[in-house]
Amino acid sequence: MRPVTRNTLLGLLAVAVLLLALGALPSYLKSGDPYYVVATPADGEYSVENGTAVNWSQQSPRRYPYTTAALDAATPNETGRSEPYWRGPVGFKGAFTHSPFDERDALRLQHPDAATDAGVVVRDNATFYHVAVRQQV
């Protein structure tokens, strides 16, 4: 094999290994306190008539894993939370991974009437929840 061909193949292999490492590495980066998606029952503050809540039955659990986990853990009387998410150092992790902040921002953009100062109002079955990203429950 000619040296130019060999060096090109080694360079392509190195780029492929680097890209694979970037896909796996961010999940191991942890810094600071963890963030959680917290689903708090809304206690009658919202109703079906005002139409400002996100209908959760129309959302994909694969697209919103943190929010889905928080809603699954919540009951009409108790707050639910997702698995922890740690931000990585200097914003490196956020560029390569899915985060609760991405979910909150996507829901706010898709449903601006459901957005609040701290999060989003979601209707899961007949119960309304205020869903927000917090460091402490």
Side-chain angles (χ1 to χ4, degrees):
M1 182 180 291
R2 293 178 14 168
V4 173
T5 306
R6 185 188 72 229
N7 290 342
T8 302
L9 288 174
L10 288 174
L12 289 173
L13 181 64
V15 167
V17 168
L18 179 65
L19 289 174
L20 286 172
L22 283 177
L25 176 66
S27 65
Y28 296 111
L29 295 175
K30 296 179 182 179
S31 68
D33 292 330
Y35 288 85
Y36 301 93
V37 172
V38 178
T40 307
D43 293 335
E45 296 175 35
Y46 304 97
S47 65
V48 176
E49 289 80 27
N50 66 14
T52 59
V54 176
N55 184 357
W56 197 249
S57 65
Q58 297 176 352
Q59 304 301 322
S60 169
R62 290 181 55 137
R63 183 170 183 187
Y64 301 104
Y66 290 102
T67 306
T68 301
L71 289 170
D72 287 346
T75 66
N77 299 323
E78 292 186 27
T79 298
R81 74 173 187 180
S82 67
E83 294 294 318
Y85 172 83
W86 284 272
R87 284 189 171 184
V90 282
F92 176 76
K93 183 177 181 178
F96 293 99
T97 62
H98 178 77
S99 75
F101 305 102
D102 296 332
E103 292 183 15
R104 180 196 60 200
D105 294 342
L107 287 170
R108 282 182 170 176
L109 285 173
Q110 292 172 1
H111 306 279
D113 293 338
T116 64
D117 291 339
V120 180
V121 178
V122 173
R123 180 171 50 94
D124 188 22
N125 296 323
T127 307
F128 288 84
Y129 296 96
H130 184 261
V131 177
V133 178
R134 296 190 187 135
Q135 283 190 310
Q136 298 177 359
V137 179

